Amino acid sequence: LQKVKKMETVRYEAKDIETIADLLKEGKVVAFPTDTVYGLAVIYENEAALEALKKSKGRPENKPIPTMVSNFRQMEEIAYMSEDARKLAEEFMPGGFTMILKKKEHLPAYLTNGFDTVGIRMPDDDIILHLIDLCEKPLLVTSANLSGEEPQETAEGVLEQLDGRIDAIVVGESGGSKASTIVDMSADELRIVREGPISEKRIREVLQD
C-alpha cells in the first residue's frame, strides 16, 4: 500500500453542497453517498485531482474511473451514443446503470487510462445531480474504499478505510448495497460487464421494444 501523507478528512453534510462543489472545483478528493454505494469523486479534466484519487485508494488505477453526469447533454459531449444507447439511457438513467461508450476524440487520454471508451452513469440522487450542476462539468466517481476492499454504504465504513487519505466526506447513507449494472455499448454487440440492480433480461427487453 502506498504511503499517503496524512491529511484531515473534513466532515460535511448535504446542506453544505456549495462548499463541496467548491472543494471539487479546487481539485479535492471527496466521498459522498450515492443511490448505490458511497462514491469517491474528483472534478473532470483535472489530472492532478485524478492522481490524488488513485493514491487515496492505494493503487495504481489501471481500470478507468467512471464518469458521473447530470444530464444527457454532458453524455453527448464526451461519448458517441447509438440509437440503442439512447434507448437504454432514457429508460434507466438516472439510476444504478453505467454505460460504456466510445469516447469522443477530444477527451484527454489520462481521463480513460488510454482506453478509447468511457463509462458513464447518471445517479438517481437529486443532491448529487445538483452537485454536478454546481461543478459545471462531470465528476469522475469510483467506489469509496481501499483497493481490494468491499464498497461501503455508510460514512463510518468509508472513514474506517479512508480517514486521513481523502480531503472531505459528506456524512449520510447510500441508497443501496449493490454497485450499478455495467453495460458495454462500445461495440456492435451489447455486453453485460457487471449485473447490478438492473438485470440483463430487462435491458434486452427494452432494446426489443
Side-chain angles (χ1 to χ4, degrees):
L1 202 60
Q2 282 168 297
K3 277 295 233 202
V4 174
K5 197 173 84 196
K6 268 298 225 194
M7 57 177 87
E8 189 198 347
T9 299
V10 186
R11 278 72 163 162
Y12 290 98
E13 289 174 33
K15 64 176 171 51
D16 306 315
I17 191 161
E18 291 186 5
T19 306
I20 296 153
D22 288 340
L23 288 171
L24 286 161
K25 286 182 189 170
E26 287 163 22
K28 304 294 190 204
V29 182
V30 181
F32 50 65
T34 75
D35 52 329
T36 57
V37 292
Y38 246 86
L40 192 61
V42 290
I43 192 106
Y44 221 58
E45 295 171 319
N46 181 329
E47 195 169 359
L50 177 57
E51 284 310 310
L53 180 148
K54 291 175 183 179
K55 212 173 184 181
S56 69
K57 286 191 68 139
R59 67 168 157 187
E61 181 77 59
N62 27 20
K63 287 187 307 194
I65 290 175
T67 298
M68 212 174 248
V69 298
S70 61
N71 56 60
F72 292 133
R73 180 183 51 78
Q74 287 179 336
M75 283 181 81
E76 304 250 355
E77 280 170 7
I78 59 179
Y80 292 102
M81 291 184 75
S82 64
E83 205 174 304
D84 279 354
R86 274 199 185 84
K87 239 184 187 178
L88 293 181
E90 280 163 16
E91 180 71 27
F92 299 121
M93 291 180 166
F97 186 72
T98 299
M99 234 188 310
I100 297 171
L101 300 165
K102 272 265 189 287
K103 76 174 177 102
K104 294 265 170 91
E105 285 75 9
H106 67 83
L107 279 201
Y110 73 81
L111 275 174
T112 58
N113 259 30
F115 284 72
D116 64 353
T117 54
V118 59
I120 304 178
R121 179 163 116 74
M122 193 185 296
D124 189 12
D125 184 306
D126 291 341
I127 293 168
I128 305 301
L129 293 172
H130 182 41
L131 177 63
I132 298 167
D133 287 340
L134 288 173
C135 289
E136 297 174 339
K137 55 170 73 173
L139 297 175
L140 289 168
V141 186
T142 182
S143 57
N145 50 274
L146 285 173
S147 177
E149 299 290 334
E150 287 298 307
Q152 296 298 311
E153 294 163 57
T154 64
E156 297 74 44
V158 174
L159 288 166
E160 263 174 45
Q161 295 184 30
L162 299 177
D163 199 3
R165 299 177 72 93
I166 59 176
D167 296 292
I169 184 167
V170 181
V171 176
E173 203 151 313
S174 61
S177 56
K178 243 184 186 183
S180 66
T181 294
I182 303 177
V183 180
D184 189 340
M185 299 289 290
S186 65
D188 296 341
E189 197 55 44
L190 168 152
R191 187 170 68 87
I192 306 291
V193 178
R194 176 178 74 199
E195 200 162 310
I198 296 155
S199 70
E200 177 169 3
K201 182 171 176 283
R202 182 77 195 93
I203 290 162
R204 295 203 182 270
E205 280 169 4
V206 169
L207 293 179
Q208 278 158 9
D209 283 352

